[in-house]
Amino acid sequence: MTDLAARFDLERGTIAGGTLTERRLSQLRGAFADTRALDDRLSRGDDPLVYTVSTVEHGSGEGDQHVGLGVLYPGRIGREYFLTRGHRHRRAEAAEVYIGLRGAGKMILQSSSGTSVIDLVAESTVYVPGHTDHRTVNTGAEPLVYLGIYPAWAGHDYGSLETQNFSVVVVDHGGAPRVLDRRDFLASFGIHH
Ligand SMILES: [Fe+2]
């Protein structure tokens, strides 16, 4: 029970004894900026698996921690790289530590004090402070595999991002990732908000 790493399957992105959640493209409507590209893909009957999270919940007490092993697959919708839906914690003060295990990507962190984009790659660590929306983006060609470690009482809140998406997008620009203002990106293909 204590040797958590021995229970990881980094190829399949699972933790033995964990709970597996799968997210397909059709479940991420609203997360991607280019809704036309998303609808085109779905209308061809192509609904790829975008990411999975395998979660181990070590109790629910005040001092307990949960561990999630995330696998975010490579791909793009239009120019925008595959991403997670993003959330903040239901108890917003809960912070989280992400540890990159494989692949290359970025995390978008957004709070009332602003938005930052931080590399999440193998052997890197990203600290997500409390009161911060967080999303993972795969900018590479292989699966991005990472751990998230957070208080058992943190919970997940997806609602605040339903109405207001992250202020930036991470898009392909000539084969390399570039961070753009969402409004500017939407305006570039004729969508104005
Ligand atoms: Fe989180």
Side-chain angles (χ1 to χ4, degrees):
M1 198 63 188
T2 52
D3 188 359
L4 190 58
R7 294 160 61 193
F8 293 170
D9 182 333
L10 296 189
E11 288 301 316
R12 293 170 55 226
T14 54
I15 307 177
T19 305
L20 189 66
T21 303
E22 296 187 331
R23 288 281 176 262
R24 293 191 173 275
L25 183 61
S26 56
Q27 297 169 291
L28 295 167
R29 209 179 267 280
F32 289 97
D34 191 343
T35 50
R36 186 177 300 169
L38 184 146
D39 288 338
D40 282 352
R41 184 133 176 202
L42 291 176
S43 70
R44 296 197 298 270
D46 184 11
D47 187 14
L49 186 61
V50 177
Y51 65 95
T52 64
V53 183
S54 185
T55 306
V56 173
E57 303 191 343
H58 297 99
S60 56
E62 191 65 25
D64 292 327
Q65 294 200 318
H66 291 180
V67 176
L69 179 66
V71 180
L72 176 55
Y73 291 96
R76 293 197 327 245
I77 296 302
R79 288 174 58 200
E80 194 174 19
Y81 295 105
F82 274 13
L83 47 73
T84 61
R85 191 175 169 195
H87 64 270
R88 71 170 47 199
H89 296 136
R90 192 165 57 237
R91 279 179 62 181
E93 68 270 31
E96 181 165 5
V97 174
Y98 275 72
I99 302 170
L101 299 177
R102 186 182 155 199
K106 294 181 185 296
M107 289 195 74
I108 307 175
L109 307 184
Q110 182 165 297
S111 71
S112 57
S113 57
T115 302
S116 55
V117 179
I118 300 173
D119 287 344
L120 179 67
V121 300
E123 299 181 27
S124 71
T125 301
V126 176
Y127 183 71
V128 181
H131 301 276
T132 302
D133 299 322
H134 41 292
R135 163 177 284 171
T136 309
V137 180
N138 186 347
T139 59
E142 62 172 309
L144 176 65
V145 183
Y146 54 91
L147 281 179
I149 304 163
Y150 51 97
W153 45 261
H156 290 76
D157 173 12
Y158 297 99
S160 57
L161 287 164
E162 295 275 302
T163 48
Q164 186 173 16
N165 210 325
F166 289 83
S167 66
V168 300
V169 291
V170 184
V171 302
D172 173 74
H173 185 84
R178 179 171 284 191
V179 178
L180 299 178
D181 181 90
R182 173 177 302 277
R183 283 166 302 182
D184 292 346
F185 182 59
L186 289 169
S188 75
F189 48 88
I191 301 174
H192 296 276
H193 285 276

